[in-house]
Amino acid sequence: MKKLNPIMISGKEVLPLIEGGKGINASDGRSSGAWAHENCVGTFSGVSPDYYDNTGNVIFERYFNTNRKLRHEEMVEQSIKGCVAQAEIAHEVSGGNGRIHVNMLWELAGSQQILTGVLERAKGLIHGVTCGAGLPYSLGELASKFGVYYYPIVSSARAFQVLWKRAYHKFVEFLGGVVYEDPWLAGGHNGLSNAEDPTKPQTPYERIVELRRLMNELGLQEKPIILAGGIWSLSEWEDYIDNPDIGKIAFQFGTRPMITKESPISNAWKQLMLHLKKGDVILQKFSPTGFFSSAIKNTFLERLIERKQGEVEYRHEPAGEYTQPLNLSETKMIFIKPEDAEKAQKQIAAGFTEIKETPDETVVFLRPDEWIQMKEDRKNCVGCLSQCQFSSWSASKGTTGRIPDPRSYCIHKTLYDVSHNGSIKDNLLFAGHQVYRFATDPLYRTGVPSVSELIEKIKRGE
């Protein structure tokens, strides 16, 4: 195994090992501080992080306004408080070692407002901001204003070129590096474009070389590429180290740090991941963001798949093949293809009697309790996304103008619930596609390791 030499990240020489920032609350001040303590880079999630009362107990999110716009403002303020709290914890745990980054989703509604509030209130505690889930054009200007380094997350050289031309060429000083997150290997939301086939993964090497070639052309030879997605053992990526075609590189670990003593996720979640098999994580597109995402196949995801498989096309009036009537209610009828009639009736007979329209001239079939819960979740929407397919919320316009999509779900609710000891069967569980390796990794045979123990193994290529 090649020796890992320190590189400059966010203004300090540290080992090129980075904890991926996973939201909601899947990485926090405890885990990120522990990574920084080992002279690495720790990253806490900036999406609905916890904050605490005077006795150290978590103050769970509560919303007092009935108006969604006002609830959104409450969410923004609580997110700022949480980020500051986690930055303070991370700083204390780090002992002044390493670097502390915050990870922010650009598609989070109010992300710029949250980041501004956090960097104002946590001066000197946060050294870098990583940001993906969209194209964060304003990130360079915002981070540079506070003298904080920024790291856009991209899945192709083309995406970075767009960011550079539109904005980043003006803010080179605090561009700390570029995170290449492989869209076929990473957990959580993935940056697959419409031009890429989710079923035909490409090897990251050529895509990273292309990114480095572009960065060199732009005079960014000294800026590191941070490789993310599918990173487990450095021995498998040894050819990327000291490679002149790639240049300076650091490695971001997303899934593997989730099972450490400092990891904030529940023991039930950790135990589940220890026993997963290859193929238990799937790439799917049910997220209300509209992005592909990788998640563990459980009851929650299986029901979404089942609902999608039961989907039926329709028309409002009989036309062409659409001649079979189907009653949505006592007063509303639609028309489906005769060959879909049996498919519809089987679902209705199985208790899926609530027939709901999607934005794409299809209908799906829900149980009455599912429909009641869906209406409740929409009523409680806090406007967490810049625009949401599930609730039709739009931060800029108030609404997307499309009907809510019953094939999706409230992402804020499910991620917040599972991160606070909620059911691991009935909530969304993001994970990378390497998660099955916990079951055979010798490090986890004798129990849950500490961050320090994990990093020692990583440095040795184990």
Side-chain angles (χ1 to χ4, degrees):
M1 178 64 203
K2 292 179 182 176
K3 181 182 178 183
L4 280 180
N5 295 311
I7 66 172
M8 190 69 71
I9 297 180
S10 294
K12 185 177 182 179
E13 280 202 340
V14 295
L15 290 173
L17 303 177
I18 298 173
E19 174 200 23
K22 301 166 289 293
I24 294 175
N25 281 304
S27 59
D28 67 359
R30 293 167 292 176
S31 63
S32 58
W35 273 74
H37 186 272
E38 302 303 313
N39 200 37
C40 300
V41 179
T43 312
F44 67 87
S45 168
V47 183
S48 293
D50 286 339
Y51 62 103
Y52 311 91
D53 62 21
N54 292 332
T55 60
N57 294 314
V58 173
I59 300 175
F60 291 99
E61 284 187 346
R62 294 180 64 191
Y63 297 92
F64 299 96
N65 286 288
T66 56
N67 177 279
R68 181 160 53 180
K69 187 175 186 300
L70 295 176
R71 287 199 302 274
H72 169 71
E73 292 174 4
E74 289 182 271
M75 183 209 72
V76 168
E77 180 56 29
Q78 290 182 86
S79 294
I80 294 172
K81 288 180 180 178
C83 284
V84 173
Q86 297 308 323
E88 291 171 343
I89 292 170
H91 177 74
E92 183 177 350
V93 172
S94 74
N97 298 331
R99 299 279 87 176
I100 300 296
H101 289 183
V102 59
N103 181 61
M104 182 60 67
L105 300 180
W106 199 247
E107 285 301 308
L108 183 74
S111 57
Q112 296 181 62
Q113 185 181 353
I114 292 168
L115 268 179
T116 299
V118 170
L119 296 179
E120 282 176 344
R121 300 187 202 179
K123 289 180 180 177
L125 302 180
I126 296 172
H127 309 110
V129 178
T130 58
C131 194
L135 290 172
Y137 295 115
S138 304
L139 178 63
E141 181 179 9
L142 196 159
S144 298
K145 175 183 174 182
F146 292 96
V148 171
Y149 292 88
Y150 66 101
Y151 300 80
I153 301 172
V154 300
S155 59
S156 66
R158 182 169 175 249
F160 179 69
Q161 186 172 36
V162 171
L163 290 167
W164 175 264
K165 284 185 175 180
R166 180 159 171 178
Y168 292 174
H169 69 278
K170 302 175 186 177
F171 306 99
V172 181
E173 180 182 359
F174 286 100
L175 175 63
V178 180
V179 181
Y180 169 80
E181 186 175 74
D182 189 85
W184 289 278
L185 294 173
H189 290 109
N190 307 80
L192 278 169
S193 72
N194 293 329
E196 292 163 325
D197 187 340
T199 65
K200 297 179 180 178
Q202 300 173 15
T203 57
Y205 185 84
E206 291 302 323
R207 293 167 74 94
I208 291 171
V209 169
E210 184 182 7
L211 175 60
R212 173 53 71 191
R213 191 179 299 121
L214 170 65
M215 291 173 66
N216 288 347
E217 290 172 2
L218 300 175
L220 304 175
Q221 294 90 337
E222 296 303 308
K223 307 290 185 181
I225 292 174
I226 298 168
L227 177 58
I231 310 297
W232 193 272
S233 169
L234 288 186
S235 61
E236 299 160 358
W237 304 89
E238 195 168 6
D239 290 345
Y240 289 58
I241 301 171
D242 298 328
N243 184 322
D245 290 333
I246 293 175
K248 290 187 176 181
I249 190 168
F251 299 89
Q252 179 171 298
F253 293 79
T255 298
R256 207 174 178 194
M258 292 180 76
I259 304 185
T260 58
K261 291 176 180 175
E262 294 87 350
S263 169
I265 70 171
S266 69
N267 287 328
W269 193 346
K270 291 176 184 178
Q271 289 303 313
L272 173 69
M273 289 197 295
L274 282 169
H275 298 93
L276 292 176
K277 300 179 181 64
K278 194 169 186 177
D280 284 345
V281 170
I282 60 173
L283 186 63
Q284 41 75 34
K285 204 177 183 183
F286 296 110
S287 170
T289 62
F291 292 117
F292 280 94
S293 65
S294 298
I296 296 170
K297 192 175 181 181
N298 60 0
T299 304
F300 179 88
L301 203 51
E302 285 171 351
R303 178 63 193 114
L304 289 169
I305 294 170
E306 182 183 34
R307 189 179 302 163
K308 176 66 177 174
Q309 289 173 341
E311 189 174 12
V312 172
E313 292 184 27
Y314 77 92
R315 297 292 183 267
H316 288 288
E317 301 292 338
E321 298 178 275
Y322 300 89
T323 58
Q324 179 70 37
L326 178 66
N327 291 324
L328 294 187
S329 66
E330 293 181 358
T331 59
K332 188 172 184 179
M333 178 183 291
I334 59 171
F335 296 86
I336 64 176
K337 296 176 183 178
E339 60 262 36
D340 287 332
E342 184 180 357
K343 181 179 182 180
Q345 290 305 320
K346 279 184 177 179
Q347 294 181 84
I348 294 169
F352 299 97
T353 54
E354 296 289 343
I355 309 172
K356 300 302 169 187
E357 297 168 83
T358 78
D360 302 317
E361 283 198 298
T362 64
V363 289
V364 292
F365 299 78
L366 312 174
R367 296 191 309 266
D369 63 301
E370 290 178 324
W371 177 234
I372 290 170
Q373 186 62 62
M374 194 172 284
K375 288 190 292 184
E376 182 69 13
D377 291 344
R378 286 174 179 156
K379 185 184 77 173
N380 294 330
C381 173
V382 298
C384 67
L385 297 174
S386 60
Q387 56 180 5
C388 176
Q389 294 178 356
F390 174 74
S391 67
S392 294
W393 157 263
S394 168
S396 60
K397 301 177 182 178
T399 177
T400 61
R402 305 189 81 196
I403 65 172
D405 196 333
R407 297 167 297 188
S408 192
Y409 52 87
C410 177
I411 194 167
H412 182 272
K413 173 194 169 184
T414 188
L415 292 179
Y416 192 84
D417 187 42
V418 77
S419 70
H420 292 86
N421 296 310
S423 168
I424 58 169
K425 293 181 179 180
D426 302 315
N427 282 300
L428 182 69
L429 294 175
F430 281 145
H433 292 262
Q434 301 287 312
V435 68
Y436 70 92
R437 298 180 65 172
F438 280 121
T440 56
D441 192 320
L443 178 61
Y444 303 91
R445 288 179 185 165
T446 57
V448 176
S450 66
V451 165
S452 178
E453 290 169 331
L454 172 60
I455 289 173
E456 284 305 310
K457 291 285 187 180
I458 288 173
K459 289 192 290 188
R460 294 200 291 267
E462 298 177 17

